C-alpha cells in the first residue's frame, strides 16, 4: 500500500518476524523533517494502516480475518479522530478544534466522520490491492522466503526493470 499511495512515507523495511504483539510490520521513514503534515499525507497514513486487514480479507476471506491488524486499526482510529477533532479536516464538522468534552450531539457527529474516514480508507486500499493482487502475492511469498526485506529488496521484487533498461 505504501509503495502505491501518494503521500505515504517511503518504506524502510518489511518483516514477518514477530515484534512484541505484532506478528510482523512495515517500517516507514519520513524523507525529511516534518513540521506540518498535509491532509493527503494523513489519508495515506490511514490507507497504510488498513493494508494488513484488507490483505487478510482478500487472501483468507472475511470469515478468516484475525486480530493481527488491531494495533493498526487503533492507530488509524486515533489518526482519524485527530484529523476531525484537532485539524478541522472534516467538511461536515468544519474547520474547528473540538474541546476535550464535546456535547453528545457533537461527539456523535465526530464519531460518524471518523467512521467515514476509516471506511473510505478501507475501500481505497481494497481497490488498490485488488488492482495489484499479483504484487501482493509476490511480496507475501518473498517475505515467507526471506522474513525481512529492505526497501531496495521490495522495489527490486515488485518493480522489475523494464525491458531495455540498463540499471
Amino acid at each position: 500500500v505504501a509503495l502505491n499511495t501518494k503521500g505515504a512515507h517511503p518504506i524502510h523495511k518489511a518483516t514477518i518476524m514477530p515484534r512484541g504483539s505484532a506478528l510482523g510490520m512495515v517500517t516507514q521513514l519520513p524523507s525529511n523533517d516534518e513540521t506540518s503534515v498535509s491532509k493527503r499525507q494523513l489519508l495515506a497514513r490511514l490507507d497504510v494502516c488498513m493494508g494488513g486487514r484488507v490483505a487478510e480479507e482478500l487472501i483468507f476471506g472475511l470469515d478468516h480475518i484475525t486480530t493481527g491488524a488491531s494495533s493498526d486499526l487503533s492507530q488509524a482510529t486515533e489518526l482519524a479522530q485527530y484529523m476531525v477533532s484537532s485539524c478541522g479536516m472534516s467538511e461536515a464538522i468544519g474547520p474547528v478544534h473540538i474541546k476535550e468534552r464535546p456535547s453528545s450531539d457533537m461527539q456523535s457527529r465526530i464519531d460518524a466522520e471518523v467512521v467515514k474516514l476509516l471506511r473510505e480508507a478501507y475501500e481505497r486500499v481494497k481497490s488498490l490491492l485488488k488492482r495489484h493482487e499479483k504484487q501482493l502475492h509476490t511480496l507475501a511469498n518473498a517475505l515467507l522466503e526471506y522474513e525481512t526485506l529492505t526497501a531496495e529488496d521490495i522495489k527490486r521484487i515488485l518493480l522489475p526493470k523494464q525491458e531495455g533498461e540498463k540499471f
Side-chain angles (χ1 to χ4, degrees):
V1 173
L3 192 63
N4 291 292
T5 301
K6 287 184 180 181
H9 286 156
I11 298 168
H12 175 64
K13 71 177 180 176
T15 184
I16 57 171
M17 296 297 294
R19 302 276 191 269
S21 63
L23 297 177
M25 63 190 323
V26 174
T27 308
Q28 295 173 272
L29 299 174
S31 50
N32 50 20
D33 290 336
E34 292 180 340
T35 52
S36 63
V37 182
S38 71
K39 185 175 181 179
R40 172 181 269 182
Q41 291 169 308
L42 294 173
L43 291 172
R45 289 180 189 175
L46 287 180
D47 290 0
V48 170
C49 286
M50 291 292 170
R53 167 51 60 88
V54 173
E56 272 193 337
E57 180 184 326
L58 291 176
I59 292 171
F60 303 118
L62 195 54
D63 289 342
H64 299 286
I65 58 175
T66 70
T67 59
S70 63
S71 177
D72 290 331
L73 294 176
S74 175
Q75 184 180 354
T77 302
E78 286 181 30
L79 178 56
Q81 286 176 318
Y82 170 72
M83 292 171 69
V84 172
S85 300
S86 298
C87 301
M89 293 183 177
S90 162
E91 289 182 30
I93 304 286
V96 296
H97 179 87
I98 308 298
K99 59 187 176 193
E100 285 185 31
R101 291 190 175 97
S103 67
S104 61
D105 176 59
M106 180 58 84
Q107 188 61 57
S108 293
R109 292 174 60 204
I110 292 167
D111 292 345
E113 285 300 294
V114 167
V115 169
K116 180 180 175 221
L117 282 171
L118 296 173
R119 287 186 189 276
E120 288 171 349
Y122 186 88
E123 291 304 320
R124 280 191 305 272
V125 172
K126 193 170 188 178
S127 175
L128 181 124
L129 289 180
K130 282 183 177 181
R131 281 192 319 270
H132 296 279
E133 192 165 359
K134 183 178 177 186
Q135 287 182 320
L136 174 62
H137 289 283
T138 299
L139 182 58
N141 289 330
L143 282 166
L144 286 171
E145 184 174 349
Y146 299 106
E147 295 181 343
T148 299
L149 300 170
T150 65
E152 293 76 29
D153 296 332
I154 293 168
K155 287 177 186 172
R156 189 180 69 252
I157 292 165
L158 297 182
L159 305 172
K161 292 178 200 161
Q162 300 298 316
E163 201 171 311
E165 271 188 73
K166 294 181 181 179
F167 303 101

